[in-house]
């Protein structure tokens, strides 16, 4: 039987390439190449030079040194404080009592003493202490929480003790003998209720280990505690003159000593004061600076570690990023070999050359001056070569090009290409430098420079 099925073959349309497709393909390839080149090429970013300043201020944690006397007890018993911590006590003022039997302790803990209330000034004192702690709290130094706890507890107990002081005589009369002993200050001074072993520390005893607060042990002398004879009971700061010692680099220490007096800001309360400078370097090579003050001791009498800021002089000028700074080599030639010539009357030199016959002749070569001293110019090394001879104008004297020197500068792009400009750095930190303004061969305010000097070469054209 014959196969009557019809075989159908799919018709393939011929590819008709016209001029439009060619143009579209060319544009597509061009765009792909441009995008690829854009992401592979380092981009030149400009920076507008502006006037500014960099503060050379530095923050340090210092150790407070004072004339401190630790007073010990002659008796055993329960101690109760009546002099407020951080305030001046005159000679003969009541500081504490010693309760040999514990009857005063029982009286304080009973209801016989009545209701103890704090005055508005007492509450204000507590509020100030709490606010100060909240503002300076650092999670990395959690041990400050315990110091704060002891300070608040001690303040509250000492304030409350004033309300029962008048009943101490009644307790003595009831017992028939003086079991509660009064102890008075032998001399005047600022009273504090803690000891830490740093009381006799002097500048010459300083080591870097003393600044490690992890090993710092401050013992709080707690109210209404049982003590033994010979135990420390309070501390007396007897002189308004005091010092803060910080650890610094040797170079900075020498600068501070040269100033003799340095202005210091206390970060705790933002107050400032001037401190007399003294420097000491121990056997391990660690350098310390002592700043001595004649006031404010009472404000920091309970603080051993104090954060301060040195308010040193600011440097002002043109502020540029450090990434824009580059160092370049130049030829150095005597000034008398540089002249003006050519159609433009620009600076240049007379370069000795030889014609086809081997005869020596001179050719004026334009070159840029990048810096000048009293006797020499720094010239561009792209038009001169080591070994070239320069001829002195209106003379037959020659000078061989050989001496080189380096300059610190940036690339100015005001004219559309990378033009090196020498800068003089006045001060520098990790990110920015302050450079001298209004120099002959340097920068001016509002000049545009390359933000990253590593992305361009000398005289390279900069495209927007």
């Amino acid at each position: 039987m014959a196969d009557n099925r019809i075989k159908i073959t799919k018709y393939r349309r011929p590819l008709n390439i016209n001029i439009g497709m060619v143009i579209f393909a060319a544009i597509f390839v061009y765009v792909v190449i441009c995008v690829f080149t854009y992401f592979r090429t380092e981009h030149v970013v400009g920076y507008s030079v502006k006037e500014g300043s960099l503060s050379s201020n530095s923050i340090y944690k210092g150790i407070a040194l004072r004339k401190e006397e630790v007073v010990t007890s002659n008796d055993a018993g329960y101690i109760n404080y009546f002099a407020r911590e951080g305030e001046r006590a005159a000679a003969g003022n009541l500081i504490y009592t010693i309760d040999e039997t514990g009857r005063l302790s029982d009286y304080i803990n009973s209801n016989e003493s009545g209701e103890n209330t704090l005055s508005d000034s007492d509450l204000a004192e507590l509020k100030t202490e709490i606010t100060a702690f909240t503002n300076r709290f650092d999670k990395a130094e959690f041990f400050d929480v315990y110091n704060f706890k002891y300070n608040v507890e001690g303040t509250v107990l000492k304030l409350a003790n004033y309300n029962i002081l008048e009943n101490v005589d009644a307790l003595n009369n009831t017992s028939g003998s003086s079991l509660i002993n009064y102890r008075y200050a032998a001399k005047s001074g600022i009273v504090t209720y803690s000891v830490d072993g740093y009381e006799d520390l002097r500048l010459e005893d300083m080591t870097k280990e003393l600044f490690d607060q992890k090993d710092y042990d401050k013992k709080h002398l707690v109210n209404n505690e049982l003590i033994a004879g010979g135990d420390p009971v309070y501390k007396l700061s007897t002189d308004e003159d005091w010092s803060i010692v910080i650890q610094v680099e040797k170079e900075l220490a020498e600068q501070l000593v040269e100033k003799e007096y340095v202005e210091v800001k206390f970060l705790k309360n933002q107050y400032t004061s001037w401190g007399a400078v003294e420097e000491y370097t121990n056997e391990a090579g660690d350098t310390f600076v002592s700043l001595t003050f004649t006031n404010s001791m009472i404000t920091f009498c309970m603080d051993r570690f104090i954060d301060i800021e040195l308010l040193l002089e600011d440097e002002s000028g043109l502020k540029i990023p450090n990434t824009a700074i580059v160092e370049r080599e130049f030829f150095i030639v005597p000034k008398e070999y540089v002249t003006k010539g050519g159609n433009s009357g620009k600076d240049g030199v007379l370069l000795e050359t030889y014609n086809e016959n081997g005869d020596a002749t001179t050719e004026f070569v334009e070159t840029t001056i990048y810096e000048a001293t009293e006797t020499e110019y720094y010239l561009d090394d792209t038009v001169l070569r080591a070994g070239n001879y320069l001829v002195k104008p209106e003379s037959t004297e020659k000078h061989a090009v050989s001496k080189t020197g380096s300059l610190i500068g940036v690339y100015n792009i005001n004219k559309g290409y990378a033009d090196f400009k020498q800068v003089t750095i006045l001060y520098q930190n990790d990110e920015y430098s302050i450079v001298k303004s209004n120099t002959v061969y340097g920068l001016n305010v509002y000049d545009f420079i390359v933000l990253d000097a590593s992305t361009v070469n000398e005289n390279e054209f900069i495209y927007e």
Side-chain angles (χ1 to χ4, degrees):
M1 184 176 178
D3 189 0
N4 295 325
R5 290 180 298 177
I6 300 175
K7 186 176 181 181
I8 299 175
T9 303
K10 187 177 180 180
Y11 175 73
R12 296 183 178 180
R13 300 177 64 181
L15 179 63
N16 296 322
I17 300 176
N18 53 45
I19 189 64
M21 295 180 62
V22 172
I23 293 175
F24 178 80
I27 293 175
F28 178 78
V29 172
Y30 174 77
V31 170
V32 171
I33 294 174
C34 288
V35 171
F36 180 77
T37 304
Y38 177 83
F39 285 105
R40 289 292 304 271
T41 305
E42 291 185 289
H43 304 290
V44 177
V45 180
Y47 176 86
S48 178
V49 177
K50 297 179 181 179
E51 292 182 343
S53 64
L54 286 181
S55 174
S56 54
N57 298 349
S58 301
I59 294 176
Y60 294 91
K61 184 177 291 294
I63 295 179
L65 304 184
R66 296 173 283 263
K67 292 183 179 178
E68 300 170 318
E69 296 182 10
V70 177
V71 179
T72 58
S73 174
N74 295 324
D75 310 301
Y78 290 90
I79 188 169
N80 288 280
Y81 294 108
F82 293 94
R84 294 194 182 187
E85 186 172 29
E87 293 187 0
R88 181 176 296 277
N93 282 7
L94 176 64
I95 304 296
Y96 66 97
T97 63
I98 291 292
D99 176 14
E100 298 180 6
T101 62
R103 293 187 60 192
L104 180 58
S105 176
D106 295 337
Y107 179 79
I108 292 173
N109 295 327
S110 69
N111 294 327
E112 297 179 20
S113 59
E115 182 180 356
N116 292 323
T117 59
L118 300 180
S119 65
D120 291 340
S121 61
D122 296 338
L123 290 173
E125 180 181 343
L126 284 174
K127 183 178 179 180
T128 301
E129 192 169 348
I130 293 171
T131 302
F133 170 77
T134 303
N135 293 336
R136 70 173 185 267
F137 176 67
D138 184 357
K139 292 181 180 179
E141 299 179 351
F142 190 76
F143 54 84
D144 280 346
V145 174
Y146 298 100
N147 291 336
F148 173 67
K149 172 189 173 184
Y150 290 125
N151 289 339
V152 172
E153 286 181 349
T155 300
V156 172
L157 287 172
K158 284 186 281 289
L159 292 174
N161 278 358
Y162 280 100
N163 296 329
I164 63 169
L165 181 58
E166 59 186 20
N167 297 312
V168 173
D169 289 336
L171 291 175
N172 277 335
N173 294 333
T174 301
S175 65
S177 61
S178 180
L179 299 177
I180 299 175
N181 302 313
Y182 297 87
R183 294 294 177 258
Y184 303 93
K187 61 177 68 174
S188 64
I190 310 301
V191 178
T192 52
Y193 299 114
S194 63
V195 292
D196 57 8
Y198 283 42
E199 287 79 14
D200 296 324
L201 204 59
R202 295 295 176 264
L203 176 61
E204 294 74 16
D205 304 321
M206 281 295 164
T207 63
K208 64 179 181 180
E209 288 77 17
L210 292 172
F211 289 80
D212 188 355
Q213 289 184 258
K214 294 180 180 178
D215 299 327
Y216 177 69
D217 183 19
K218 182 177 182 180
K219 181 182 179 182
H220 294 271
L221 306 176
V222 182
N223 191 68
N224 203 25
E225 286 287 316
L226 180 64
I227 64 169
D231 286 349
V233 288
Y234 69 95
K235 185 166 57 183
L236 207 61
S237 300
T238 59
D239 197 328
E240 186 65 23
D241 292 350
W242 65 297
S243 303
I244 294 179
V245 178
I246 58 176
Q247 184 177 1
V248 299
E249 298 295 331
K250 183 68 175 179
E251 181 179 355
L252 177 58
E254 293 174 353
Q255 295 176 9
L256 297 178
V257 170
E258 186 176 350
K259 293 177 178 293
E260 296 185 359
Y261 288 88
V262 174
E263 189 176 12
V264 174
K265 177 190 289 186
F266 301 100
L267 300 188
K268 179 179 179 179
N269 55 12
Q270 300 300 305
Y271 290 170
T272 61
S273 183
W274 288 86
V277 180
E278 185 179 355
E279 178 261 345
Y280 171 73
T281 301
N282 64 16
E283 295 180 355
D286 300 320
T287 301
F288 304 91
V289 166
S290 170
L291 303 166
T292 302
F293 308 93
T294 58
N295 54 39
S296 304
M297 188 275 290
I298 190 171
T299 305
F300 305 97
C301 64
M302 293 182 286
D303 300 316
R304 183 63 69 186
F305 293 94
I306 302 175
D307 293 323
I308 63 172
E309 182 178 3
L310 302 182
L311 302 180
L312 305 178
E313 295 179 359
D314 295 342
E315 293 288 357
S316 299
L318 302 180
K319 186 176 181 179
I320 62 173
N322 291 339
T323 54
I325 298 175
V326 66
E327 184 175 1
R328 270 202 55 201
E329 290 285 333
F330 297 90
F331 285 119
I332 302 176
V333 301
K335 281 187 173 181
E336 55 265 28
Y337 285 87
V338 179
T339 185
K340 293 184 181 294
N343 296 329
S344 61
K346 293 186 176 180
D347 294 317
V349 293
L350 298 177
L351 179 65
E352 183 180 67
T353 60
Y354 294 87
N355 58 23
E356 296 178 354
N357 299 325
D359 298 327
T361 183
T362 58
E363 175 187 358
F364 178 79
V365 177
E366 184 180 316
T367 183
T368 304
I369 299 174
Y370 289 92
E371 177 61 314
T373 65
E374 292 184 1
T375 59
E376 297 174 318
Y377 283 125
Y378 284 73
L379 302 182
D380 191 357
D381 63 350
T382 59
V383 296
L384 299 177
R385 296 290 181 270
N388 286 160
Y389 280 93
L390 306 181
V391 179
K392 186 176 180 179
E394 302 179 358
S395 172
T396 57
E397 295 182 29
K398 298 180 182 180
H399 172 78
V401 176
S402 60
K403 185 178 179 181
T404 61
S406 61
L407 292 175
I408 300 294
V410 297
Y411 288 122
N412 187 310
I413 55 175
N414 288 347
K415 300 177 181 179
Y417 62 91
D419 183 19
F420 181 89
K421 293 292 184 180
Q422 184 263 349
V423 297
T424 301
I425 298 176
L426 300 175
Y427 181 74
Q428 188 176 51
N429 62 18
D430 293 337
E431 296 182 2
Y432 290 93
S433 295
I434 296 298
V435 302
K436 203 172 196 179
S437 60
N438 299 322
T439 56
V440 177
Y441 304 104
L443 292 176
N444 294 308
V445 65
Y446 303 125
D447 279 349
F448 273 92
I449 63 174
V450 177
L451 179 62
D452 186 354
S454 64
T455 60
V456 298
N457 296 314
E458 173 76 5
N459 295 323
E460 179 182 338
F461 283 96
I462 308 299
Y463 300 96
E464 297 291 337

